CSV table of all heavy atoms in Angstrom, one decimal:
chain,number,residue,atom,x,y,z
O,9,ALA,N,-63.5,17.9,104.1
O,9,ALA,CA,-62.4,16.9,104.2
O,9,ALA,C,-62.8,15.6,103.5
O,9,ALA,O,-62.1,15.0,102.8
O,9,ALA,CB,-62.0,16.7,105.6
O,10,VAL,N,-64.1,15.2,103.8
O,10,VAL,CA,-64.6,14.0,103.2
O,10,VAL,C,-64.7,14.1,101.7
O,10,VAL,O,-64.3,13.2,100.9
O,10,VAL,CB,-66.0,13.6,103.8
O,10,VAL,CG1,-66.7,12.5,103.0
O,10,VAL,CG2,-65.9,13.3,105.2
O,11,LEU,N,-65.2,15.3,101.2
O,11,LEU,CA,-65.3,15.5,99.8
O,11,LEU,C,-63.9,15.4,99.1
O,11,LEU,O,-63.8,14.7,98.1
O,11,LEU,CB,-65.9,17.0,99.6
O,11,LEU,CG,-66.4,17.3,98.2
O,11,LEU,CD1,-67.8,16.6,98.0
O,11,LEU,CD2,-66.5,18.8,98.0
O,12,PHE,N,-62.9,16.1,99.6
O,12,PHE,CA,-61.6,16.1,99.0
O,12,PHE,C,-60.9,14.7,99.1
O,12,PHE,O,-60.1,14.4,98.3
O,12,PHE,CB,-60.7,17.2,99.5
O,12,PHE,CG,-61.1,18.6,98.9
O,12,PHE,CD1,-61.6,19.6,99.7
O,12,PHE,CD2,-60.9,18.8,97.6
O,12,PHE,CE1,-62.0,20.8,99.2
O,12,PHE,CE2,-61.3,20.1,97.0
O,12,PHE,CZ,-61.8,21.0,97.8
O,13,LEU,N,-61.3,14.0,100.2
O,13,LEU,CA,-60.7,12.7,100.4
O,13,LEU,C,-61.3,11.8,99.3
O,13,LEU,O,-60.5,11.0,98.7
O,13,LEU,CB,-61.2,12.2,101.8
O,13,LEU,CG,-60.3,11.1,102.4
O,13,LEU,CD1,-58.9,11.6,102.6
O,13,LEU,CD2,-60.9,10.6,103.6
O,14,LEU,N,-62.6,11.9,99.0
O,14,LEU,CA,-63.1,11.1,97.9
O,14,LEU,C,-62.5,11.4,96.5
O,14,LEU,O,-62.2,10.5,95.8
O,14,LEU,CB,-64.7,11.3,97.8
O,14,LEU,CG,-65.5,10.7,99.0
O,14,LEU,CD1,-66.9,11.2,98.9
O,14,LEU,CD2,-65.4,9.2,99.1
O,15,VAL,N,-62.3,12.7,96.3
O,15,VAL,CA,-61.6,13.2,95.0
O,15,VAL,C,-60.2,12.6,95.0
O,15,VAL,O,-59.7,12.1,94.0
O,15,VAL,CB,-61.7,14.7,94.9
O,15,VAL,CG1,-60.9,15.1,93.6
O,15,VAL,CG2,-63.1,15.2,94.9
O,16,SER,N,-59.6,12.7,96.2
O,16,SER,CA,-58.2,12.2,96.3
O,16,SER,C,-58.1,10.7,95.9
O,16,SER,O,-57.2,10.3,95.3
O,16,SER,CB,-57.7,12.4,97.7
O,16,SER,OG,-57.8,13.7,98.1
O,17,ILE,N,-59.1,9.9,96.4
O,17,ILE,CA,-59.1,8.5,96.1
O,17,ILE,C,-59.2,8.2,94.6
O,17,ILE,O,-58.4,7.4,94.0
O,17,ILE,CB,-60.2,7.7,96.9
O,17,ILE,CG1,-60.0,7.8,98.4
O,17,ILE,CG2,-60.4,6.3,96.4
O,17,ILE,CD1,-61.2,7.4,99.2
O,18,VAL,N,-60.1,9.0,94.0
O,18,VAL,CA,-60.2,8.9,92.5
O,18,VAL,C,-58.9,9.3,91.8
O,18,VAL,O,-58.4,8.6,90.9
O,18,VAL,CB,-61.4,9.8,92.0
O,18,VAL,CG1,-61.5,9.7,90.5
O,18,VAL,CG2,-62.7,9.3,92.6
O,19,PHE,N,-58.3,10.4,92.2
O,19,PHE,CA,-57.1,10.9,91.6
O,19,PHE,C,-55.9,9.9,91.9
O,19,PHE,O,-55.0,9.8,91.1
O,19,PHE,CB,-56.7,12.3,92.1
O,19,PHE,CG,-57.4,13.4,91.4
O,19,PHE,CD1,-58.7,13.3,91.0
O,19,PHE,CD2,-56.7,14.5,91.0
O,19,PHE,CE1,-59.3,14.3,90.2
O,19,PHE,CE2,-57.3,15.5,90.3
O,19,PHE,CZ,-58.6,15.4,89.9
O,20,ALA,N,-56.0,9.3,93.1
O,20,ALA,CA,-54.9,8.3,93.4
O,20,ALA,C,-55.0,7.1,92.5
O,20,ALA,O,-53.9,6.5,92.2
O,20,ALA,CB,-55.0,7.9,94.9
O,21,VAL,N,-56.2,6.7,92.2
O,21,VAL,CA,-56.4,5.5,91.3
O,21,VAL,C,-56.0,5.8,89.9
O,21,VAL,O,-55.3,5.1,89.2
O,21,VAL,CB,-57.8,5.0,91.4
O,21,VAL,CG1,-58.1,3.9,90.4
O,21,VAL,CG2,-58.2,4.5,92.8
O,22,LEU,N,-56.4,7.0,89.4
O,22,LEU,CA,-56.0,7.5,88.1
O,22,LEU,C,-54.6,7.9,88.0
O,22,LEU,O,-54.0,8.3,89.0
O,22,LEU,CB,-56.9,8.7,87.7
O,22,LEU,CG,-58.4,8.4,87.4
O,22,LEU,CD1,-59.1,9.7,87.3
O,22,LEU,CD2,-58.6,7.5,86.2
O,23,PRO,N,-53.9,7.7,86.8
O,23,PRO,CA,-52.5,8.1,86.7
O,23,PRO,C,-52.3,9.6,86.6
O,23,PRO,O,-51.8,10.1,85.6
O,23,PRO,CB,-52.1,7.4,85.5
O,23,PRO,CG,-53.3,7.2,84.7
O,23,PRO,CD,-54.5,7.2,85.6
O,24,MET,N,-52.7,10.4,87.6
O,24,MET,CA,-52.7,11.8,87.5
O,24,MET,C,-51.3,12.4,87.9
O,24,MET,O,-51.1,13.7,87.8
O,24,MET,CB,-53.8,12.4,88.5
O,24,MET,CG,-55.1,12.2,88.0
O,24,MET,SD,-55.4,12.9,86.4
O,24,MET,CE,-57.2,13.0,86.3
Side-chain angles (χ1 to χ4, degrees):
Chain O
V10 170
L11 195 79
F12 283 114
L13 203 64
L14 291 172
V15 177
S16 305
I17 293 166
V18 175
F19 274 43
V21 173
L22 290 170
M24 292 297 198

